[in-house]
Amino acid sequence: MFTSVAIFAATVLSPTFSWTDSAFSDLGVAADPFVALLFNGGLVAGGFVGVAFAFALRRHSRALAATYALSLLSMTLVGVFPAGTGPHFPVAVTFFVLATATVTLDGWRRRATTTGRFGLLLAAGHLAGWILWASGIRLGDGLALPELGGVVMFGAWLLAFAPPSQWWWRRQSRR
C-alpha cells in the first residue's frame, strides 16, 4: 500500500507524466528530483516494509512466501536501478511476472474458494491488460495503464485476498 501511494503521489506531482504516453518508471528519472525520490524511494521503502508480510505468508505456503519475497526484491531493484540503467528493464519485467505469479499461485492453491477465484481473476485481468497492450489495443504508447493493472492486482491481493489479509478482515468483522 505504501508503494502504491508513493507511485500515485508521484503521478500527481509530475508535470510531465501522462497515463497514456508515459511509463511509471519515467517518474524515477523525472526532472523534478522530489518526484524521482518519491517514486524510487517508495519502491525501495515498500520493498523493505513488505518483507514482514512474507513471514506472515510463510505460515500458509513457503512457495507463496518465496514468490512474494522475490517480487518485492524485484520491485525494490526497480527503485535502485531507475529507467535508463542496464538492470532496469529486466528487474521491472521480473517484478510484474513474479507479482502475477504470486497472485496466481495463491489463487490456484485456493481455487475452491471465492477468495482464490478472485485472485485468479485479478491475475487474468492483469495478464489480459498486457496482451491487449501488446496487440496494439491501447490508448497511447505508454506503459502506465498496463502497469496500473499490475499495481491494482498486487495491491488488491495484498489488502483483501492474501491469506493474512483474510484473517485480518475476518477478525475485524467479529468486533
Side-chain angles (χ1 to χ4, degrees):
M1 189 64 176
F2 178 84
T3 300
S4 297
V5 170
I7 292 170
F8 290 118
T11 67
V12 170
L13 294 173
S14 173
T16 58
F17 180 80
S18 164
W19 284 98
T20 57
D21 295 319
S22 298
F24 282 152
S25 292
D26 295 341
L27 297 165
V29 292
D32 181 341
F34 180 72
V35 170
L37 178 63
L38 182 60
F39 179 78
N40 293 325
L43 293 173
V44 171
F48 283 108
V49 169
V51 168
F53 200 77
F55 288 105
L57 282 170
R58 191 169 163 229
R59 291 182 40 226
H60 302 277
S61 164
R62 289 183 189 272
L64 183 61
T67 57
Y68 172 75
L70 290 171
S71 67
L72 281 185
L73 174 62
S74 299
M75 180 185 80
T76 301
L77 291 174
V78 171
V80 171
F81 300 110
T85 62
H88 178 78
F89 182 75
V91 295
V93 169
T94 300
F95 165 69
F96 284 112
V97 168
L98 286 173
T100 306
T102 299
V103 176
T104 302
L105 175 62
D106 181 50
W108 186 254
R109 284 181 61 252
R110 300 187 298 147
R111 65 190 175 277
T113 68
T114 302
T115 303
R117 290 188 295 272
F118 271 118
L120 289 171
L121 281 173
L122 284 170
H126 178 231
L127 185 58
W130 279 110
I131 290 169
L132 289 171
W133 186 89
S135 66
I137 302 170
R138 52 179 105 144
L139 299 175
D141 291 332
L143 297 170
L145 291 175
E147 289 174 328
L148 176 63
V151 170
V152 169
M153 172 204 63
F154 206 44
W157 177 77
L158 282 167
L159 290 175
F161 300 113
S165 301
Q166 288 289 293
W167 170 83
W168 188 86
W169 286 111
R170 281 193 300 272
R171 187 171 168 228
Q172 296 305 310
S173 69
R174 289 186 212 137
R175 288 183 173 184

